[in-house]
Amino acid sequence: MYWEARARALARCLEDDPSIALLGETSTPFNPEDGLLERYPERFLPYPPISEFGLLGMSVGAAAAGLRPCVFVGTSAFMYYGIAPVVNEAPHIRYLSGGEASSPVAV
């Protein structure tokens, strides 16, 4: 099933890279049955702000601070409410820092 393949891929990424953090609701993107929350509780933010702008802005800031957030936006149409940090802020971090910082975010 799709969610099982996604859980295996995320588990593999979490094992390989300690800077990956998962942001999103536990019931929708990451099924409780996949065991990721129990295996990696310190790298999971299951209840982010109920605001796409806040969630994606927080993920860009976390990425600039050195994490590699994997973010779930529940409904793709709602992502447009939070697109500004992804397209306006994240790309500028590299250029404003002279290439010394980046902001990798997977949405």
Side-chain angles (χ1 to χ4, degrees), residues 7-99:
R8 281 195 304 272
L10 285 171
R12 197 172 311 138
C13 290
L14 289 165
E15 290 168 9
D16 292 344
D17 189 349
S19 66
I20 293 177
L22 304 176
L23 288 76
E25 298 176 27
T26 57
S27 61
T28 307
F30 314 110
N31 294 327
E33 297 88 19
D34 63 20
L36 292 176
L37 180 59
E38 291 80 23
R39 289 170 58 190
Y40 304 100
E42 71 283 352
R43 294 166 60 189
F44 205 102
L45 180 63
Y47 303 107
I50 304 175
S51 161
E52 284 71 20
F53 187 84
L55 174 62
L56 293 170
M58 180 175 64
S59 67
V60 169
L67 292 177
R68 292 181 172 262
C70 178
V71 184
F72 177 77
V73 177
T75 304
S76 61
F78 291 159
M79 184 176 165
Y80 296 109
Y81 293 108
I83 200 75
V86 175
V87 299
N88 293 332
E89 305 300 328
H92 293 168
I93 290 172
R94 177 177 298 279
Y95 299 109
L96 292 174
S97 69

